[in-house]
Amino acid sequence: MSFQEHDDRTAPQFRNRKGRGSHKGRSYDRSRRDRQRGGHTAGFGGPGPRSRLDDIDADVTMSDSSQDNSSQHRFNPYGRPFRKGGEGRFDRDRRQGKGGGGGRGGGFRGGDRGGAGNGGGGRSRSGWFKVTIPHGRKYDKKWLLPALQNICTVPYTPVQYHVEHNRVHFYVDDSSAATALHKCSHKITDTDGYKVEVHVNPSAPPSFLITELKPEHLEHLRQCMAKRFDGSQQALDLNNIRTDPDLVSQNIEVILNRKTNMEAVIKIIEENIPELTGLNLSNNRIHKLDELTDLVSKAPNLKTLNLSHNELKSDRELDKIKGLKLVELWLNRNPLCDFFKDQASYISAVRQRFPRLLKLDGHDLPPPIGFDVETPTVIPPCKGSCFGSDEIKVLILRFLAQYYSIYDSGNRQPLLDAYHDGASLSLTTPYSTQNPSRSSLGEYHKDTRNLKRIKDTTVRFRLLKHTRLNVVAFINELPKTQHDIASFNVDVNTFTNTLLSFTVSGVFKEVAVDGKSRESTMAFSRVFVTVPAGNSGLCIVNDQLFIRMATTEEIRRAFVAPAPTPSSSPVPTLTAPQQEMLTAFSQKSGMNLEWSQKCLQDNEWDFNRAAQVFTQLKADGKIPDVAFIK
C-alpha cells in the first residue's frame, strides 16, 4: 500500500462558522467579562466611560473557545492547591511585605485589555487596520509575510506581528494597503493545499503606540529594578511589578504583557546586568513570549526563569525562548498546564524545548539523556533524484518520458501496453474534514482511497482498480493534464533482477477542455512497482498515485524550464542543412534530437549561439535528465 494511504497527518480542523456576525462570538463575552472585573487602563479617565482606545487588542469577530474555556479541566501537573502569587527560588514572601508585593492588583485587573469597541464600520477613525490570518499559528512568519507581500498590489509595513490562540495578527496604517490585503484572501496556497484566509478590520492603534514609557518613567523603572536585584545570586525579581509601591507612588504603570514595557525591561537588563542568571516574571499577566526571545542574546547566562501565575495558553510559546540554556523553570498556574493529559506529557513537552532542565515548577527532574554537542545541527539541503546506478537511471527516465508523453496526450489508451494484466492502481488525496466539493481537488476526491477517510472495507476494495483494462479505463476518466518533466524527482526504493520499485514526484496542471481551462497547479507523488518487460522495458504491476495542491513555492518554480515538444505534436519538415546541423548539435551536446532541435529553433538555427545557451543552462543545472535520453 502507498504510504499516503496510511498517512496519519490531519488537515487543519476548521471550526463551525455559526455565530460569527459582528455582534456574535466571544468578542462580546470577553468585554463583558472584563467589565465585571472592573478593568480599565490607567491614564484614560479613571473609572468613567472607557476610551475607545482601550480595546487595543480586541479579537476579530471569530469564535475560538478551545483555548479559553475555563469549564474544561484536564490534568494540572502536580495538582497543587491554588495560591496567589508566584513560587520558587525568587518568590518573595509577600505575606511579610517583602519585594514588590503579591496581590492581584485590585482595580488593575484587565487594565491593559479593556473592552470598548473600535468604532466599527468600513473606515477606521484611527487610520489603523488589524489584519488577521485564521489558523495562522501553523505558518512560519518568514514564509507568510513574504508570500503576502509578493501578491499584495500595495506595498505595506506590517506592525506588531503576533500570534493569539490559533490566529496571526498584525496592523497596517494605510487604507489602500488594507483594501489590497483584503483582496489577497484565498490567493495563497499552503503546504496542505488550503487557501490562506486574510481578514481586515478597522482597529484602534497598536498597543505600543499608546503605552510608551516616558524617559523619566524609564529612570524610575531602572531604580525599581536595581532595588529588586540580588547581586549575590545574580537574580532579578520582577514578580507582580505593576503593584510595586515605588512605581505606583509615581503613577507609573509597568505592565509586562505590553510590548514596549517588556522591551524596556530587557534593555535595562542588557545595559546593566547582562550577567543575569535568574529572572522572576511571575504574576505579570504575560500571555506571549515574543519579546523574551531577545534574552537569548542579551542575557546568555540565564539559567533560571519563573513564568508562573501568568496567562500562557500554549506550550508553543516556549519555542520562542528555547534558545535559553535553562536548568530551572516555573510554569505552574498558567492555562497551558491544563491541556496535558498527564504529568509525563507535560514534562516531555517542556524538556523538548529545554533538554538541560533539571527542575520544573520546583520539582527535581531525572538527569537529561543526550549528547553534549555544542555545534548546532543543520538539516542538510534536499538532494535530487537517487537512482542507484546509471543503468537504472537510463531505464527509468526512458520509461517516464514514454509514459507521460502518452499520459499528457489526448489519448491515454496506449498505456495498456505499460501495465501488467493483473495490475492494480489506487488514487489518494489528503485527508480533510473540509467539504470536498469546495476544494480544487474535488475532481479527485470522489475516487480517493485515503484510509483515514474511507473506513468501509467494501468501499476500499471497490476504489482499488484491478486489471489493466480497469486501470487504464479509470486513467482515461481523469482530467487531461500537462506535467512539468523538469520538476520530476525520482527515488529508487527497491531493485532486484525481477523487480524495480521507484517513486516519482513533481507538478502538473490541467489543460483546456471544451474551451475551459483551469489555472490550478497540482503536485503529485507516484509509486510505480514494475517488473522487466522485453529486452529493456518495464511493466507496471502496482501504481499508487497521490495528488495534492501545489504550494506557492512549487507554483513559482513550475514550468520555468523549456518543455520538450509533445510526441503528438506535428514535427516541422527540416531542410537538408538544418538536418545536418541538428545531427552535429546532438552529437556535440549529448542531447537527443528532440531537445537539440528545440534548442536550435529557440536560437533561430544559430549553431554558435545555441551552443552558448546550452553550455550556460547545463552549468546552471536547468536542463532535465530526460533531454539526454536517446
Side-chain angles (χ1 to χ4, degrees):
M1 291 185 180
S2 165
F3 68 87
Q4 295 94 346
E5 294 171 354
H6 295 278
D7 196 330
D8 61 355
R9 295 171 296 178
T10 58
Q13 303 297 311
F14 290 89
R15 303 184 185 280
N16 192 319
R17 296 178 176 270
K18 294 182 179 179
R20 291 195 181 184
S22 58
H23 300 288
K24 301 178 182 178
R26 279 190 50 239
S27 295
Y28 168 76
D29 292 337
R30 173 172 292 183
S31 62
R32 179 177 60 184
R33 183 181 63 200
D34 287 347
R35 287 197 297 271
Q36 290 170 346
R37 291 175 175 173
H40 65 275
T41 303
F44 286 95
R50 295 173 180 230
S51 163
R52 67 182 178 85
L53 298 180
D54 258 50
D55 194 8
I56 53 181
D57 280 318
D59 286 346
V60 292
T61 52
M62 296 178 62
S63 175
D64 190 352
S65 58
S66 63
Q67 296 284 351
D68 199 26
N69 189 347
S70 59
S71 64
Q72 284 188 333
H73 293 284
R74 297 191 185 179
F75 174 76
N76 190 355
Y78 316 120
R80 293 187 173 188
F82 178 82
R83 293 201 306 268
K84 295 183 179 180
E87 295 181 6
R89 175 178 169 188
F90 304 109
D91 182 30
R92 308 295 178 94
D93 190 345
R94 289 175 301 283
R95 289 174 296 179
Q96 297 179 10
K98 297 180 181 180
R104 282 187 171 270
F108 286 89
R109 180 66 176 171
D112 62 313
R113 296 190 298 169
N118 58 24
R123 295 186 302 164
S124 172
R125 283 181 267 172
S126 68
W128 285 90
F129 296 84
K130 188 175 187 179
V131 181
T132 301
I133 313 294
H135 308 286
R137 176 187 289 277
K138 66 179 181 178
Y139 302 130
D140 187 345
K141 178 181 177 180
K142 295 180 180 179
W143 172 83
L144 179 61
L145 287 182
L148 284 172
Q149 292 275 16
N150 288 339
I151 65 170
C152 187
T153 57
V154 178
Y156 69 94
T157 301
V159 177
Q160 199 173 347
Y161 181 100
H162 62 284
V163 179
E164 183 178 347
H165 300 309
N166 287 322
R167 305 186 290 273
V168 158
H169 304 288
F170 61 85
Y171 297 87
V172 294
D173 62 348
D174 181 0
S175 60
S176 59
T179 301
L181 280 167
H182 179 69
K183 294 179 180 178
C184 292
S185 189
H186 297 90
K187 295 292 181 63
I188 300 174
T189 305
D190 65 17
T191 54
D192 295 323
Y194 296 124
K195 302 294 184 180
V196 177
E197 292 184 49
V198 181
H199 298 172
V200 181
N201 291 294
S203 170
S207 57
F208 74 92
L209 293 179
I210 57 176
T211 57
E212 289 279 6
L213 291 173
K214 298 177 181 179
E216 58 270 24
H217 292 175
L218 289 174
E219 179 58 26
H220 284 292
L221 175 60
R222 189 187 67 79
Q223 295 175 6
C224 175
M225 291 173 62
K227 177 193 69 174
R228 288 167 167 254
F229 178 64
D230 183 351
S232 63
Q233 299 289 331
Q234 290 296 315
L236 177 62
D237 182 4
L238 298 183
N239 170 66
N240 204 16
I241 191 173
R242 66 187 177 279
T243 61
D244 187 280
D246 292 347
L247 296 177
V248 174
S249 65
Q250 298 292 328
N251 290 321
I252 300 173
E253 187 177 45
V254 176
I255 299 179
L256 295 188
N257 62 11
R258 292 178 178 173
K259 176 181 173 68
T260 50
N261 286 200
M262 181 65 82
E263 287 177 342
V265 166
I266 293 176
K267 185 176 181 180
I268 293 173
I269 291 174
E270 178 188 21
E271 294 176 349
N272 297 274
I273 45 175
E275 67 279 5
L276 189 70
T277 62
L279 179 61
N280 185 355
L281 295 173
S282 60
N283 280 287
N284 282 294
R285 298 183 192 149
I286 297 171
H287 55 85
K288 60 179 182 176
L289 301 178
D290 297 73
E291 286 69 50
L292 292 187
T293 302
D294 291 337
L295 285 175
V296 176
S297 58
K298 296 181 179 180
N301 298 324
L302 191 65
K303 296 291 187 292
T304 303
L305 181 62
N306 190 339
L307 294 171
S308 64
H309 294 258
N310 279 298
E311 299 180 10
L312 299 174
K313 294 181 174 61
S314 171
D315 61 309
R316 295 192 189 98
E317 288 295 321
L318 300 177
D319 291 332
K320 300 169 184 176
I321 58 170
K322 64 181 180 181
L324 294 172
K325 299 175 182 178
L326 298 180
V327 295
E328 296 182 60
L329 176 65
W330 280 265
L331 293 171
N332 53 298
R333 299 302 177 188
N334 275 283
L336 68 84
C337 296
D338 297 329
F339 290 94
F340 292 96
K341 61 182 180 180
D342 53 37
Q343 180 179 341
S345 59
Y346 171 58
I347 295 174
S348 176
V350 175
R351 218 170 199 179
Q352 182 181 351
R353 279 86 172 188
F354 308 104
R356 301 182 181 185
L357 202 66
L358 299 178
K359 218 170 203 182
L360 178 60
D361 298 337
H363 291 261
D364 291 330
L365 299 179
I369 301 175
F371 300 97
D372 189 16
V373 179
E374 293 292 337
T375 305
T377 303
V378 179
I379 299 177
C382 181
K383 295 186 177 181
S385 300
C386 178
F387 294 96
S389 71
D390 290 339
E391 180 184 0
I392 297 176
K393 176 179 179 178
V394 171
L395 182 65
I396 292 177
L397 291 180
R398 181 187 296 118
F399 167 82
L400 292 176
Q402 294 173 348
Y403 184 93
Y404 281 102
S405 66
I406 298 174
Y407 192 96
D408 289 344
S409 69
N411 179 21
R412 294 172 179 165
Q413 201 63 25
L415 289 178
L416 280 169
D417 295 333
Y419 286 89
H420 189 273
D421 286 340
S424 297
L425 177 145
S426 62
L427 170 68
T428 309
T429 56
Y431 174 78
S432 173
T433 56
Q434 189 180 19
N435 184 355
S437 63
R438 297 178 58 187
S439 167
S440 298
L441 294 172
E443 194 75 24
Y444 301 93
H445 269 299
K446 57 183 174 54
D447 297 301
T448 184
R449 195 173 176 268
N450 192 313
L451 300 187
K452 287 189 67 67
R453 179 171 177 261
I454 308 299
K455 304 298 183 181
D456 190 306
T457 55
T458 303
V459 177
R460 287 181 177 181
F461 183 81
R462 179 176 57 80
L463 291 173
L464 188 62
K465 312 303 176 185
H466 296 276
T467 76
R468 67 172 185 164
L469 291 176
N470 290 327
V471 167
V472 176
F474 172 71
I475 290 176
N476 267 322
E477 294 176 0
L478 296 178
K480 304 304 178 185
T481 57
Q482 178 186 350
H483 286 74
D484 181 9
I485 302 295
S487 72
F488 282 14
N489 194 76
V490 180
D491 289 300
V492 173
N493 309 318
T494 306
F495 173 64
T496 67
N497 292 332
T498 58
L499 183 141
L500 173 60
S501 172
F502 58 94
T503 302
V504 57
S505 57
V507 298
F508 69 94
K509 61 183 178 182
E510 296 180 6
V511 299
V513 179
D514 298 331
K516 298 180 180 179
S517 62
R518 295 189 58 182
E519 297 180 358
S520 298
T521 300
M522 303 181 188
F524 76 96
S525 179
R526 198 163 191 170
V527 181
F528 289 110
V529 180
T530 65
V531 294
N535 295 328
S536 59
L538 295 174
C539 183
I540 305 168
V541 295
N542 194 282
D543 182 357
Q544 301 164 12
L545 174 60
F546 176 78
I547 296 176
R548 61 174 172 82
M549 295 305 300
T551 65
T552 304
E553 180 63 18
E554 287 172 329
I555 294 172
R556 186 183 66 82
R557 294 184 300 181
F559 299 96
V560 174
T565 306
S567 59
S568 58
S569 301
V571 179
T573 304
L574 303 179
T575 63
Q578 288 176 335
Q579 187 65 51
E580 184 179 346
M581 186 186 298
L582 175 61
T583 302
F585 193 87
S586 177
Q587 290 175 348
K588 289 183 177 294
S589 67
M591 292 195 299
N592 55 42
L593 293 176
E594 186 176 26
W595 279 78
S596 297
Q597 180 176 335
K598 176 171 179 57
C599 187
L600 288 168
Q601 286 175 335
D602 290 347
N603 291 280
E604 299 177 349
W605 291 94
D606 185 326
F607 190 94
N608 292 330
R609 190 170 73 183
Q612 291 176 353
V613 172
F614 165 78
T615 303
Q616 183 61 46
L617 290 175
K618 186 176 182 183
D620 295 340
K622 294 182 178 180
I623 301 179
D625 293 334
V626 70
F628 298 95
I629 299 176
K630 296 184 178 181

